[in-house]
Amino acid sequence: MEKDMDLSKYSIRTDLALEAHQLELERTGEPSISGVEMSTEEKNGIRMTRVQVLNKQGAQQIGKLPGKYLTMEVPGLRRKDTELQNLVATEFAKAFQQFLQEIGIQEHHKALIVGLGNWNVTPDALGPIVVENILVTRHLFELLPEHVEEGYRPVSALSPGVLGITGIETSEIVFGVVEKTKPDFVIAIDALASRALERVNTTIQIADTGINPGSGVGNKRKPLTKETLGIPVVAIGVPTVVDAVSIASDTIDYVLSHMGRQMNESKNPSPASRLTPAGFNLPGTTKPFTQEDEPSVEGKKVIMGLVGVLPEEEKRQLIREVLQPLGHNLIVTPKEVDEFIEDMGNIIANGLNAALHQAIDKNNVSAYTH
């Protein structure tokens, strides 16, 4: 990173770090912007997107710190498919292990895992739940090193809580622990606020740029980064909530795409649509909307007026200006969040245990979680 870079210009928020740019890129099909590399692969219902912000130019264009970002999207996680969850844990372990290697973390390096969040608030309890299921070994290396078998590394774990519970800044707690225990790197896990409905409860993101606890819901706290702690900080985040601005903005887009699809099908009806009663859709049978479903500019004006043709950020800003003075920009989460948090906590914990310890693999990983 360039020494003269003003970090205050860039976001270290607890939302999906490149989500806005990534969503726009997927929607428009525009080529990668200068200073940003992006690649996507999909296999077995898991979509992995790798983004690397290479320099100051790329950071300025998308408003994010230079670094590596990996996003795993798994829409099927909402179905509570146990087999898929096991597959995601395995793929997450492989991807995370590779990610650590790419940023220079070696097999013998000591890890401190920090589970951020409020254990009393379900959508924010992901970090503490992961920590509960982590295999901690640092004390064994300190007290009984002769009994530690090959294939394990020193791992410690901490759930520092939130400022409202402890009265202490999370960064101060973590800094103190780092100063005393001297780990080689930190893994910070947090629940995120998403910019898109479709990514709530379906996505895992990894980044090497650190994290700023609470900023996704407007609580500005000191960041956990390499600059503040003095060692690499790898952030793992899962979007569990979304604000009303995003819901309203996405709903407008969905309405436009829905109307556009209906207009297209009325002109060229498919055999299936001829047999389906008007307005009747079974849950889960509707195909995801694509760019082809969007109406023309004139069509958007007819359906939604001027709001229908506003650029994305202007539309979101308008909705925000309407909702915030009324106190209606709520932060909401799906009703299934209780089960999802438990499942995702186990997925991430299993993946981390396997990624950090060579002696753990998919055949024995479940022995280390509740």
Side-chain angles (χ1 to χ4, degrees):
M1 185 181 298
E2 300 180 31
K3 292 183 179 179
D4 62 347
M5 182 175 291
D6 182 4
L7 298 183
S8 65
K9 296 179 181 178
Y10 306 104
S11 172
I12 321 173
R13 297 172 54 194
T14 44
D15 57 8
L16 295 181
L18 289 169
E19 187 174 36
H21 167 63
Q22 186 177 327
L23 289 171
E24 182 66 13
L25 183 62
E26 293 169 1
R27 187 180 69 83
T28 62
E30 293 177 357
S32 298
I33 61 177
S34 178
V36 178
E37 292 181 353
M38 179 175 174
S39 63
T40 301
E41 59 179 313
E42 188 166 353
K43 183 180 179 182
N44 297 324
I46 302 173
R47 183 179 186 182
M48 289 201 186
T49 303
R50 291 176 171 83
V51 179
Q52 184 170 6
V53 183
L54 300 171
N55 50 37
K56 183 177 180 180
Q57 182 183 5
Q60 287 176 333
Q61 292 190 69
I62 62 176
K64 299 297 175 184
L65 290 171
K68 293 179 180 293
Y69 302 86
L70 171 63
T71 302
M72 295 179 64
E73 296 175 74
V74 194
L77 285 175
R78 290 178 175 171
R79 299 195 301 265
K80 287 191 61 64
D81 183 336
T82 303
E83 186 175 341
L84 178 61
Q85 290 174 3
N86 293 335
L87 177 61
V88 172
T90 300
E91 293 301 318
F92 171 76
K94 293 178 183 176
F96 192 78
Q97 191 173 48
Q98 180 182 345
F99 192 90
L100 292 181
Q101 292 173 355
E102 291 175 355
I103 64 173
I105 303 298
Q106 300 179 21
E107 295 174 359
H108 64 278
H109 283 168
K110 296 177 288 186
L112 168 63
I113 299 177
V114 180
L116 300 170
N118 187 342
W119 48 73
N120 294 320
V121 179
T122 303
D124 198 31
L126 177 69
I129 289 174
V130 172
V131 165
E132 285 181 3
N133 292 285
I134 287 295
L135 174 63
V136 292
T137 57
R138 177 181 176 273
H139 59 303
L140 300 177
F141 280 89
E142 295 284 328
L143 302 175
L144 301 167
E146 67 276 7
H147 294 288
V148 180
E149 298 180 359
E150 291 291 328
Y152 295 92
R153 81 165 81 209
V155 172
S156 53
L158 170 72
S159 294
V162 294
L163 182 64
I165 292 178
T166 64
I168 308 171
E169 283 278 5
T170 299
S171 59
E172 295 174 347
I173 296 174
V174 177
F175 181 80
V177 173
V178 167
E179 192 176 37
K180 289 294 184 181
T181 63
K182 298 187 177 357
D184 295 307
F185 68 105
V186 169
I187 300 171
I189 303 152
D190 201 4
L192 311 181
S194 179
R195 283 177 57 100
L197 280 170
E198 64 188 24
R199 295 198 171 182
V200 176
N201 291 4
T202 67
T203 308
I204 304 172
Q205 189 187 56
I206 306 168
D208 70 347
T209 54
I211 201 165
N212 193 347
S215 64
V217 291
N219 298 327
K220 294 184 179 180
R221 297 287 177 257
K222 295 179 181 178
L224 302 177
T225 65
K226 186 175 182 179
E227 287 70 31
T228 60
L229 297 181
I231 57 176
V233 179
V234 180
I236 300 174
V238 176
T240 61
V241 299
V242 65
D243 66 355
V245 169
S246 297
I247 294 173
S249 177
D250 284 359
T251 301
I252 290 172
D253 293 339
Y254 290 149
V255 168
L256 289 171
S257 295
H258 175 74
M259 297 298 292
R261 178 180 290 179
Q262 286 197 331
M263 288 188 290
N264 291 335
E265 289 184 350
S266 65
K267 297 175 183 177
N268 303 294
S270 64
S273 65
R274 296 191 190 102
L275 298 174
T276 304
F280 181 78
N281 286 303
L282 291 173
T285 60
T286 302
K287 295 185 298 181
F289 293 120
T290 66
Q291 189 177 0
E292 295 177 356
D293 294 318
E294 292 185 12
S296 63
V297 173
E298 290 302 319
K300 290 180 179 181
K301 284 185 179 180
V302 171
I303 298 169
M304 284 284 184
L306 292 177
V307 175
V309 294
L310 284 176
E312 177 66 21
E313 286 306 316
E314 290 185 23
K315 178 182 59 175
R316 294 176 68 91
Q317 183 59 31
L318 173 62
I319 297 170
R320 188 175 292 108
E321 289 175 0
V322 173
L323 293 180
Q324 281 190 342
L326 301 173
H328 291 168
N329 190 20
L330 307 178
I331 304 293
V332 300
T333 190
K335 64 180 185 297
E336 306 89 359
V337 69
D338 300 77
E339 294 178 347
F340 173 79
I341 288 292
E342 288 289 341
D343 292 341
M344 186 56 71
N346 285 328
I347 288 172
I348 294 177
N350 284 339
L352 286 177
N353 287 336
L356 295 175
H357 304 288
Q358 286 186 316
I360 300 177
D361 56 32
K362 65 179 181 181
N363 296 318
N364 62 3
V365 68
S366 58
Y368 299 94
T369 56
H370 301 318

